[in-house]
Structure formats: C-alpha cells, structure tokens
Amino acid sequence: MKILVAVKRVVDYAVKIRVKPDKTGVDTQNVKMSMNPFCEIALEEALRIKEAGFAKEVVAVSIGPSQCVDTLRTGLAMGADRGIHVETSSSFLPLTIAKILKSIAEVENPELIFLGKQAIDDDCNQTGQMVAALLGWPQATFASKVVLDKEKHVATVDREVDGGLETLCVDLPAVITTDLRLNQPRYASLPNIMKAKSKPIKKMTVQDLKVDIKSDIEILEVTEPPKRKSGVMVSSVDELIEKLRNEAHVV
Amino acid sequence: MLLDPSPSPSPSPTSLDATLILAEHESGSIKPQTVSTVVAANSLGENSSISLLLAGSGSSLQEAAAQAASCHPSVSEVLVADSDKFEYPLAEPWAKLVEFVRQQGDYSHILASSSSFGKNILPRVAALLDVSPITDVVKILESNQFIRPIYAGNALSTVRYTGGGPCMLTIRSTSFPVTPITVDSESRKATISQIDLSNFKEGSFTFLLCIPILNFSFFFKKLSFPFPIADSASKSRYVGCSTQDTERPDLGSARVVITGGRALKSVENFKMIEKLAEKLGGAVGATRAAVDAGYVPNDLQVGQTGKIVAPELYMAFGVSGAIQHLAGIKDSKVIVAVNKDADAPIFQVADYGLVGDLFEVIPELLEKLPEKK
C-alpha cells in the first residue's frame, strides 16, 4: 500500500514572530523556516508503518513556493521515497489545499493520507478533515496511536479528545491527522541527507490539477495581541498572598 | 404538519440571520462550551434566530435537548436527531446530518465550539458545503468580520468572510464567557416546553416539524432519516474511550487554574499541585513536558495544542513559559509564576512573580492560604 503525507513549510516553532508594521501579515523574510512539527510526526508515522512492512511507498507532498522543495528534501532525508511539489506563488486557504490533495490522491491512489492536526502558523486545524470529506473517506483526527490491520483493511486509532482518549476504527482508505504524542520524529542522518538529493521530486502546478481556487476569506489586517501590563516580583509567600487577596482580589 | 424533504427551499426563516449551532452534550446536559457558542452567536446580529442541533440517541439526548432549550434566552429552536447512528459523535454521520439539516433551513451561519468535537466535525461539513471555515474566533466584529489568533496567539488576524454559502465558525469559548442567567420566566419556559415534545416519535422517513406550544418560542423538531447515511458514514466505528473522572472543575471553564511543569519531577510531587487546586477550588493544568513525562494525562495540557484557558487566577509552578504554553494562558486575568530561574520567560507575562523553589513555596501556600468553601 501507498501512504501520502502532506507536509507544510512554516516559520520555525521556536522563532518569536514579528507582525509587519503595515499590518498585512507576519514577517517571514529572513526568518528560519522548517517543517511544521505536526507534519514531521505524520511523516514519521508513515515511515514506521512502511518499516513494519505494511506499506510499500511513502510519498510526501508540499504545496507552496519554490522553497518548499527544502521541506520535501527534509522529508526525503527522513525516509520518504519521493516527493511531489505543487508550486504556487500565492498562499491558499485550507479548502483549496484540500482540493489539491484530493486530486493528487485520485492520481496516486494511496490507502492512507497522513497530515498534521494543524499548522503552527495559521492554527486552522481543517485540512485533514476537508480532504476526508472531499474524498468521502473516514477520518481519524488528533491521533496519538495508530494500529493497522492489513487483513481486515482497517486502522484502529486512539484520538486525543477533550475528556481523555477515544478509540475509533476506520476502514481504509482513510485520512489520519496526527497529534503531538503519536511519536518522536527521527532526525535525518548525514548519509540520508545526501541520499535524499537523488530522490525524485515531481513538480506540478495548480493548473495541472484543475483545482478551482476558493478564496472566500479576506484578511483585513494582522495586529499584535494586546500587551499585558508588566507585573511585579514578590519576595515571599506572605507578600504573594497579601497581593492576591488585597490587590487582585482573587483569593 | 409534514414537510417534504425534497430540495425545495424551506419556507422558514429569512436567510439573513439564522444561525445553526452544533451542540455538544454529555450524559443529559449540554456542555458549557456550547452555551458560550450561543453567546457568540447572539452577537452576530440583533435579529438573529439561533437553532441548536443535537444528535444522539435515547433518553439522555432528550434530557439534553430539554436543557438546551433553556440554556440561553436567545435560543429559538432545538433540533433533535435521534438515531443509533449518532450514539457517538463521529464526524462522518454528523457532517452528513448538518449538510442535510442545512438543506431544510437556509442558515447564514453555522457554528460549533473550538472543542475537539467542533474541530473534528465542522471543517468536514464546510468542505461538503464548499465553504472556508474560520477556526477559533475570539471576537465578532460584524456578521461577516471576525478576529482569530494565529501563530500561537502571537498575532491577531481580522478576517472577512466573502463567500456565498453559510459562514462557518468555531468559537473559542473562553472569549465568550457565559454570564449566569437569573431564574425568571425565560428559564421556566424551557422547562415546560420539553416534556410533551419528546414524545413525538412517529413518522419515520418524514419530518415532524414545528409543534407550536402556545406562548413559547421553542419548537422541537424530530428529525428522522430519509437519506442514506451509508457511504462514508459507516466506514468509521466507535470502539471506546478512557476518560479521567475528576471531582475538580473543568479545566476550560475553571475560575482558578493551577499548573505544573517539568520541575515537579514526579507523579507524586504533582499531587502537591492537585492539593493546591483543591484548596483554591480550581482545576489542574500541565505543560507538555509534564504530560510527556507521564505526570498527568494529556487532556490536562494547556497551550497551543492543548486547552486554552482564561481563568481569573492562573498559577504556574515550575513552568518556563514556552511560546506554545503561553498561547494557552495569555487571557487569564491574573497570572502568578513561581520558578527557580529568575530569567524564565513566564515572568514576562506574570502579574506576580516569585523566584523560589516550588517544593518550599507550595507547602507554604498550602499552609497559609485561606480555606475555600
């Protein structure tokens, strides 16, 4: 079986972002970019399934500007077999991304699509659910454990939900989005980074895939969140309790 | 009165201001997040009519529906879908249900709370309706203009929905606090209306609509299923769940939240945090590090990928204050941080900071804090 993994290039999670002075967005020039952490987890899980002998091929897909090739190379260095890069100059809403992934899925025929549960830039948490809807496949979101049964052709998935953990069983093909605790992604070793350079990355455009681009959300402005008033340091527990009682009135 | 569920548009409310809310319920009552979503929906427009959609099966569903009818004065309608298909909140049948309900009523807005329930289902519905949803709305400016946080809350994005279909939102419940509603005629109304209505069960494959109860603004609709749910719906099955039953208040809506980080060092030590929470009548939270180390279960994680809290008092012990954690606590009214490291980033957002060893500070707090009822 084949597994498709969607990976997104985002501002590195450790970077303290800056809002552009003209309020059009967040400054991404000369900022360290890397693979979205949840996408790393998604890719790692696909690789583990392949290593366990359940899958033959892991294909990584990224949609975005030319630099997304770097993200794909990272994925290939981790162990993906090949990449698909849908090159675009504009950024798309999750619905359009889902449509692009759907048309790729129709060509590639994977039995599993892995995505991260959300991208840490737009924090949307939508794409996986949308791909599943468009394909008419079942979904298992926020996965913290995935067990495949090849004979029954199902995946049993533990999901992180508000009250604890929930277990679902979904028929394949299915879409799974990954939560933090699913696994610990591997680092790419130097030999694998070298090897990744010769792995194929197929270039495509949105036009090739005949996807209609939906832009029904307009960003009016991006601003900094309100700053909190600076606080005070106290020197003892007594002083802390006194402040909480008489100044903040919370105890 | 029976309504043919054919494509003809429903004669019901004006298309301008009708909101459908995907309601979440558990053991006979609707969840507080759903009520927050009603509060949010209420600010969409003055004439907005609000319908709650509940799905499930059996008596607990009916109980929840009854409670839903009186949960907020602005709820004008409760739609109940009672079927074994909805025994568990699976995304596949739920999404089909919403798509189906939307064919009957022309809703301008479809809302759910930004809980794991809402985030699981709403985007799936949105894709079926070919609409871009808006996640985690923290402020409603106009009926089509919203503010939502991006980059772990380090920026706020103001967006306008320009599409033709219904505007679909998930609501961050901490941004729309529920003010207690005084017991007046309004809440009495709801209690009365639910009793008889739950008996209307006949008419499979048809719609039983609008049973008007004199003087009451509530309608109950009993939906049954003239559409095949097969398709993707049966491709997903519920197996089970493990939930932690606690006596403590719910993390998402607690007035006080006490959080521990990696510095607690063990499950046993984390009990100190629990004791302090009990003393203050608060909920226990944790950082990712504490969850990963196995000190507490994952549903206590606070932050960008865990719960977002906004209590009156938030106390962090041994929490460094990573961007991802701060994303979940920034809207707390008073933040207290106790940490050994005077340079920990948490002190930059704390209203009161204390540099010290939490193993000394917590016992002292336990001893000196006044007892809560």
Side-chain angles (χ1 to χ4, degrees):
Chain A
M1 103 175 170
K2 191 192 284 182
I3 303 178
L4 199 67
V5 184
V7 295
K8 185 176 184 182
R9 174 177 177 267
V10 298
V11 171
D12 188 86
Y13 72 94
V15 169
K16 177 101 179 73
I17 58 114
R18 275 202 322 270
V19 172
K20 286 186 196 166
D22 65 1
K23 297 187 177 177
T24 55
V26 165
D27 201 351
T28 54
Q29 296 288 312
N30 306 315
V31 169
K32 187 187 175 200
M33 306 288 279
S34 40
M35 191 189 291
N36 179 41
F38 292 101
C39 301
E40 288 184 350
I41 295 169
L43 181 55
E44 174 67 33
E45 195 63 18
L47 295 172
R48 288 185 190 188
I49 289 171
K50 185 188 165 193
E51 285 158 3
F54 287 116
K56 283 211 169 66
E57 193 183 27
V58 174
V59 183
V61 185
S62 195
I63 302 158
S66 55
Q67 298 95 317
C68 285
V69 170
D70 302 340
T71 312
L72 283 172
R73 290 278 170 221
T74 308
L76 297 173
M78 282 171 72
D81 297 289
R82 61 190 168 90
I84 297 174
H85 177 211
V86 181
E87 190 162 358
T88 73
S89 50
S90 47
S91 66
F92 294 133
L93 291 167
L95 183 56
T96 300
I97 301 288
K99 287 176 182 172
I100 293 171
L101 291 172
K102 180 201 177 210
S103 18
I104 291 174
E106 280 167 348
V107 176
E108 293 282 342
N109 279 314
E111 281 193 78
L112 262 178
I113 301 179
F114 271 108
L115 299 94
K117 80 162 177 181
Q118 75 191 62
I120 59 165
D121 52 0
D122 61 23
D123 282 333
C124 275
N125 196 331
Q126 298 169 354
T127 311
Q129 294 88 315
M130 292 179 141
V131 180
L134 296 175
L135 288 165
W137 293 4
Q139 69 188 48
T141 50
F142 324 139
S144 62
K145 189 180 172 196
V146 176
V147 179
L148 288 186
D149 186 326
K150 219 179 173 182
E151 276 170 22
K152 289 192 188 137
H153 220 63
V154 296
T156 304
V157 181
D158 285 359
R159 305 178 55 230
E160 296 204 4
V161 294
D162 288 342
L165 286 177
E166 178 184 275
T167 309
L168 290 186
C169 183
V170 292
D171 293 345
L172 301 183
V175 175
I176 298 177
T177 74
T178 58
D179 215 320
L180 273 178
R181 268 166 284 277
L182 181 59
N183 59 45
Q184 188 65 51
R186 69 194 65 186
Y187 289 104
S189 65
L190 188 59
N192 285 344
I193 293 171
M194 300 311 289
K195 245 188 268 172
K197 291 190 174 157
S198 56
K199 288 183 180 174
I201 293 180
K202 188 172 159 191
K203 292 256 179 204
M204 300 184 102
T205 64
V206 184
Q207 286 73 34
D208 298 337
L209 294 160
K210 298 190 179 62
V211 170
D212 94 281
I213 297 164
K214 189 101 178 175
S215 53
D216 49 1
I217 291 177
E218 187 188 345
I219 295 173
L220 300 178
E221 65 170 22
V222 173
T223 55
E224 300 231 6
K227 289 248 179 333
R228 288 187 73 94
K229 219 169 50 204
S230 58
V232 294
M233 299 302 283
V234 296
S235 54
S236 70
V237 170
D238 292 312
E239 193 186 343
L240 177 62
I241 293 176
E242 192 271 325
K243 295 258 189 205
L244 290 178
R245 185 180 294 151
N246 301 324
E247 205 173 271
H249 306 288
V250 285
V251 294
Chain B
M1 132 176 86
L2 303 175
L3 199 99
D4 186 350
S6 61
S8 68
S10 139
S12 61
T14 53
S15 60
L16 272 174
D17 305 287
T19 300
L20 181 71
I21 294 176
L22 281 54
E24 211 176 334
H25 63 98
E26 192 179 51
S27 47
S29 54
I30 64 162
K31 294 206 172 167
Q33 300 97 297
T34 298
V35 187
S36 289
T37 309
V38 175
V39 173
N42 211 19
S43 60
L44 282 167
E46 285 191 3
N47 306 315
S48 155
S49 81
I50 298 172
S51 306
L52 286 186
L53 174 62
L54 275 79
S57 68
S59 58
S60 77
L61 170 70
Q62 300 304 332
E63 276 171 48
Q67 195 227 338
S70 61
C71 72
H72 195 280
S74 58
V75 174
S76 48
E77 191 181 36
V78 175
L79 305 165
V80 180
D82 190 337
S83 160
D84 292 345
K85 303 272 182 200
F86 302 121
E87 195 177 347
Y88 305 105
L90 297 171
E92 295 79 8
W94 247 105
K96 288 272 176 194
L97 169 69
V98 180
E99 189 189 19
F100 174 72
V101 169
R102 136 97 179 144
Q103 284 164 9
Q104 316 298 316
D106 202 0
Y107 297 100
S108 58
H109 293 79
I110 300 179
L111 273 58
S113 71
S114 289
S115 58
S116 57
F117 165 89
K119 284 184 171 171
N120 188 37
I121 295 169
L122 193 110
R124 189 172 178 112
V125 181
L128 296 177
L129 301 178
D130 198 28
V131 160
S132 289
I134 302 168
T135 302
D136 248 349
V137 168
V138 295
K139 194 165 185 187
I140 294 172
L141 300 173
E142 282 173 38
S143 66
N144 64 349
Q145 270 186 43
F146 314 97
I147 299 183
R148 61 177 300 264
I150 53 174
Y151 288 90
N154 286 302
L156 294 174
S157 177
T158 306
V159 296
R160 173 159 51 208
Y161 179 69
T162 58
C167 178
M168 303 187 67
L169 317 170
T170 65
I171 299 295
R172 179 174 287 191
S173 50
T174 53
S175 302
F176 297 91
V178 180
T179 44
I181 301 153
T182 48
V183 186
D184 57 7
S185 54
E186 228 114 42
S187 45
R188 236 183 297 137
K189 232 188 241 174
T191 332
I192 303 165
S193 62
Q194 56 95 10
I195 302 166
D196 287 347
L197 305 171
S198 57
N199 294 329
F200 285 49
K201 279 183 182 152
E202 60 277 284
S204 60
F205 302 107
T206 49
F207 263 72
L208 212 53
L209 271 200
C210 307
I211 303 104
I213 306 298
L214 286 178
N215 299 327
F216 300 123
S217 55
F218 301 109
F219 300 164
F220 270 57
K221 288 183 192 173
K222 170 96 178 168
L223 304 185
S224 46
F225 289 90
F227 67 100
I229 318 191
D231 188 19
S232 63
S234 53
K235 292 177 186 167
S236 169
R237 291 163 300 278
Y238 180 87
V239 178
C241 71
S242 64
T243 50
Q244 279 78 29
D245 271 328
T246 66
E247 309 264 297
R248 281 187 290 272
D250 174 59
L251 183 55
S253 52
R255 205 186 63 82
V256 175
V257 174
I258 315 290
T259 288
R262 197 200 313 262
L264 266 297
K265 292 201 181 94
S266 73
V267 181
E268 280 64 45
N269 292 340
F270 214 91
K271 297 232 158 44
M272 294 197 307
I273 297 283
E274 292 169 15
K275 255 189 220 157
L276 191 59
E278 257 155 51
K279 182 139 195 189
L280 290 168
V284 171
T287 64
R288 180 188 174 185
V291 175
D292 283 352
Y295 305 159
V296 287
N298 60 282
D299 53 323
L300 296 189
Q301 185 175 329
V302 172
Q304 183 183 21
T305 68
K307 300 248 166 61
I308 312 287
V309 300
E312 282 175 40
L313 173 61
Y314 179 88
M315 298 181 91
F317 294 92
V319 171
S320 64
I323 296 172
Q324 291 76 16
H325 183 73
L326 298 184
I329 67 163
K330 269 186 194 155
D331 294 326
S332 307
K333 291 223 176 58
V334 176
I335 297 178
V336 174
V338 176
N339 205 305
K340 258 204 284 205
D341 176 7
D343 296 324
I346 187 89
F347 286 124
Q348 287 161 24
V349 299
D351 298 280
Y352 302 107
L354 177 57
V355 177
D357 185 349
L358 61 92
F359 293 105
E360 290 162 18
V361 173
I362 298 179
E364 200 179 338
L365 275 169
L366 279 170
E367 188 190 321
K368 291 179 176 170
L369 273 173
E371 201 66 52
K372 279 269 156 180
K373 64 241 149 211

